[in-house]
C-alpha cells in the first residue's frame, strides 16, 4: 500500500511487489526510509523516465496504480506539467554546436528572452530551430537548472536512451 507523502512523494506502508517497486523506480527517486520506502517524483525524474522510453501514458498509469484517485492531486499535476513541458523541447548536438527544436512558439519566445539563458547564446534559424555554440551537455544542464525540461534526441529525432543525468541517481540502500 502506498500513501501520499507531501506534494511530490509517496511512501510505502509495507513491502512492495517487485513489479510495483520497479515501476516506481522508473519515474521517481527512491529513498531508503528504514522500514518504509519513499519515492520522490520530480520534473527531472519524469523527464528521465521519458528519456528512457517510458511513455507519458505509462508514467500516468504507474501513478494512478500507486495512488488510486490521485488524478487531481498536486503530484498528478506535477507529472502532467513535466510531461507537457518536455514534449515541446528537444535538444541534439550538431558538430560543435547544439540545436533546440521547440514545437511551441510561446516556449520558443520565452527561451530567447529569458536572461538566465543568456550564456547559451541562442539564435534562431530560418526553420525556427534555436542554435547555441555550446555543447549539448552544457545546454542541457543550464536548461534543466532553470526549469526547462528537455529531451535529448538524435539529429533524426529519435530519443537517446539514458539521456545523461536527467534522472537523479537513486539513494544507496541504507542511505537517507
Amino acid at each position: 500500500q502506498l500513501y501520499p507523502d507531501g506534494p511530490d512523494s509517496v511512501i510505502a506502508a509495507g513491502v512492495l511487489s517487485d513489479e510495483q517497486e520497479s515501476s516506481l523506480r522508473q519515474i521517481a527517486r527512491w529513498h531508503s526510509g528504514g522500514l518504509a520506502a519513499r519515492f520522490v517524483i520530480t520534473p527531472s525524474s519524469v523527464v528521465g523516465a521519458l528519456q528512457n522510453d517510458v511513455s507519458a501514458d505509462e508514467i500516468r498509469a504507474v501513478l494512478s496504480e500507486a495512488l488510486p484517485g490521485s488524478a487531481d492531486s498536486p503530484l498528478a499535476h506535477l507529472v502532467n506539467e513535466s510531461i507537457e513541458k518536455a514534449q515541446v523541447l528537444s535538444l541534439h548536438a550538431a558538430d560543435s554546436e547544439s540545436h533546440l527544436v521547440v514545437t511551441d512558439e510561446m516556449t520558443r519566445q520565452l527561451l530567447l528572452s529569458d536572461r538566465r539563458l543568456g550564456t547559451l547564446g541562442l539564435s534562431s534559424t530560418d526553420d525556427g530551430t534555436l542554435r547555441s555554440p555550446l555543447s549539448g551537455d552544457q545546454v542541457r544542464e543550464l536548461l534543466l537548472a532553470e526549469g526547462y525540461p528537455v529531451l535529448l534526441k538524435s539529429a533524426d529525432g529519435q530519443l537517446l536512451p539514458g539521456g545523461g543525468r536527467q534522472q537523479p541517481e537513486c539513494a544507496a540502500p541504507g542511505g537517507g
Side-chain angles (χ1 to χ4, degrees), residues 134-147:
L134 301 180
S135 73
D137 286 341
Q138 291 172 305
V139 172
R140 182 188 72 237
E141 292 297 324
L142 184 57
L143 288 171
L144 289 172
E146 297 302 339

Side-chain angles (χ1 to χ4, degrees), residues 2-165:
L2 292 164
Y3 298 97
D5 185 40
D8 64 353
S9 59
V10 295
I11 193 162
V15 178
L16 299 174
S17 71
D18 290 343
E19 181 181 331
Q20 195 173 32
E21 183 173 337
S22 175
S23 294
L24 283 167
R25 282 182 184 239
Q26 285 185 313
I27 68 166
R29 287 186 324 211
W30 172 81
H31 289 276
S32 172
L35 297 176
R38 183 169 175 249
F39 297 88
V40 179
I41 300 173
T42 64
S44 185
S45 70
V46 172
V47 171
L50 291 169
Q51 190 71 55
N52 288 308
D53 212 21
V54 179
S55 74
D57 288 340
E58 289 171 316
I59 293 169
R60 290 181 183 112
V62 168
L63 184 60
S64 67
E65 288 171 18
L67 296 171
S70 65
D72 286 330
S73 71
L75 193 52
H77 289 291
L78 178 146
V79 166
N80 288 325
E81 183 178 298
S82 299
I83 289 169
E84 289 170 18
K85 284 183 175 182
Q87 291 176 335
V88 301
L89 185 59
S90 62
L91 170 69
H92 71 271
D95 299 321
S96 61
E97 63 183 16
S98 300
H99 293 188
L100 284 166
V101 177
V102 188
T103 60
D104 174 68
E105 182 60 24
M106 188 164 69
T107 301
R108 187 177 165 285
Q109 291 302 321
L110 186 61
L111 289 166
L112 286 169
S113 63
D114 191 331
R115 292 181 192 178
R116 301 171 300 168
L117 303 179
T119 58
L120 293 180
L122 293 175
S123 62
S124 186
T125 63
D126 290 340
D127 66 0
T129 299
L130 301 179
R131 293 172 36 183
S132 171
L134 301 180
S135 73
D137 286 341
Q138 291 172 305
V139 172
R140 182 188 72 237
E141 292 297 324
L142 184 57
L143 288 171
L144 289 172
E146 297 302 339
Y148 293 96
V150 60
L151 294 173
L152 297 176
K153 295 188 176 182
S154 63
D156 63 356
Q158 299 299 311
L159 279 175
L160 295 176
R165 297 184 312 261

